Amino acid sequence: MSHPEDQRAPDPGQGDRVPWPEGFPTGQEAGSVEAQLEQARAESEDNRRKAEAYLDLAQRAQADFANYKRRTTQELEQKVLNANASLLTQLLPAFDDLQRALENIPSDIAEHSWPQGIALIGQKLDAILKNQGLERIGAEGDRFDPHIHEAVAYEEHPVYDEGQVASVYRVGYRLNDRVLRAAQVVVARGSSRPPASAGGESRSVGEGTTH
């Protein structure tokens, strides 16, 4: 049997109102959470920009160090090359004297042990210089090249054409790509006029040259 109070009409003020779930933030609390999220996003973006900036600085520093290392290595190699070139240039006259002595050993003593020992020393020295990158330049039949040749005379030659090296007065030397000393040569010509590529006027062997 129903009670009269169970048959009362619903309160129009409450109608279909759904109660606020327990544990859910209220409107004020939701606004506070949204503000915190926005602040967290801003801090995350700021940290991301800082990380990118630090990464860029690190990459630049690494590139600068690599460039510095490469530059110092090249400078050191150049200093070593310059030092070797300076030393070898000073040794060339003594090497020339040794070669001339070996080429002019009298035949009556050529078979003695001491001239042969000196010749062996010359061969060892030549091998050492080659291992250091030293190369002889200037040979008969070469085309005259003012970058590696120095013309000391011009002469008509029955075999070589105009502009070719007819004979070598003093060999030259090149260290890697650097010419330490140009070869002094006699240049062949086909007429009384020196070849234009050789430049200058005809000179006798030894005129205006040093040994």
Side-chain angles (χ1 to χ4, degrees):
M1 182 175 182
S2 62
H3 297 282
E5 56 269 20
D6 295 334
Q7 298 179 359
R8 288 180 301 178
D11 187 355
Q14 292 185 352
D16 297 331
R17 180 183 298 178
V18 178
W20 191 260
E22 183 178 356
F24 271 54
T26 63
Q28 183 177 1
E29 292 174 342
S32 176
V33 171
E34 184 65 27
Q36 292 177 5
L37 289 174
E38 186 63 28
Q39 182 180 359
R41 294 192 192 96
E43 291 177 354
S44 176
E45 181 64 20
D46 184 57
N47 291 334
R48 185 187 64 80
R49 287 195 296 265
K50 288 181 179 179
E52 290 179 350
Y54 293 149
L55 177 61
D56 182 65
L57 289 175
Q59 290 175 339
R60 288 176 181 270
Q62 185 177 18
D64 290 341
F65 178 75
N67 292 334
Y68 167 77
K69 185 177 180 180
R70 181 172 59 254
R71 183 171 62 253
T72 54
T73 300
Q74 292 174 346
E75 290 175 354
L76 179 60
E77 291 176 350
Q78 188 62 42
K79 288 181 180 179
V80 172
L81 181 60
N82 291 339
N84 289 343
S86 177
L87 176 61
L88 292 175
T89 301
Q90 297 178 55
L91 289 176
L92 290 182
F95 192 51
D96 290 338
D97 293 340
L98 177 61
Q99 293 298 317
R100 279 192 290 267
L102 293 174
E103 292 170 358
N104 293 279
I105 295 177
S107 58
D108 57 335
I109 64 171
E111 300 301 324
H112 291 190
S113 60
W114 68 266
Q116 295 179 356
I118 294 177
L120 182 60
I121 293 173
Q123 294 173 5
K124 290 182 178 180
L125 179 60
D126 188 46
I128 292 173
L129 296 178
K130 286 182 179 179
N131 289 335
Q132 293 298 318
L134 193 68
E135 175 189 3
R136 290 187 181 185
I137 52 178
E140 291 186 10
D142 290 347
R143 296 298 303 177
F144 180 82
D145 183 351
H147 296 97
I148 62 174
H149 297 137
E150 176 188 353
V152 297
Y154 303 90
E155 65 180 21
E156 296 182 6
H157 199 278
V159 176
Y160 297 117
D161 296 330
E162 181 174 352
Q164 284 185 287
V165 174
S167 61
V168 179
Y169 179 60
R170 187 186 68 179
V171 296
Y173 289 93
R174 176 169 50 203
L175 180 62
N176 299 322
D177 295 329
R178 178 188 301 188
V179 176
L180 299 183
R181 187 180 73 186
Q184 293 181 339
V185 297
V186 177
V187 183
R189 65 183 183 187
S191 64
S192 59
R193 184 177 181 180
S197 61
E201 297 181 355
S202 176
R203 294 180 292 174
S204 60
V205 174
E207 181 181 348
T209 62
T210 58
H211 301 282

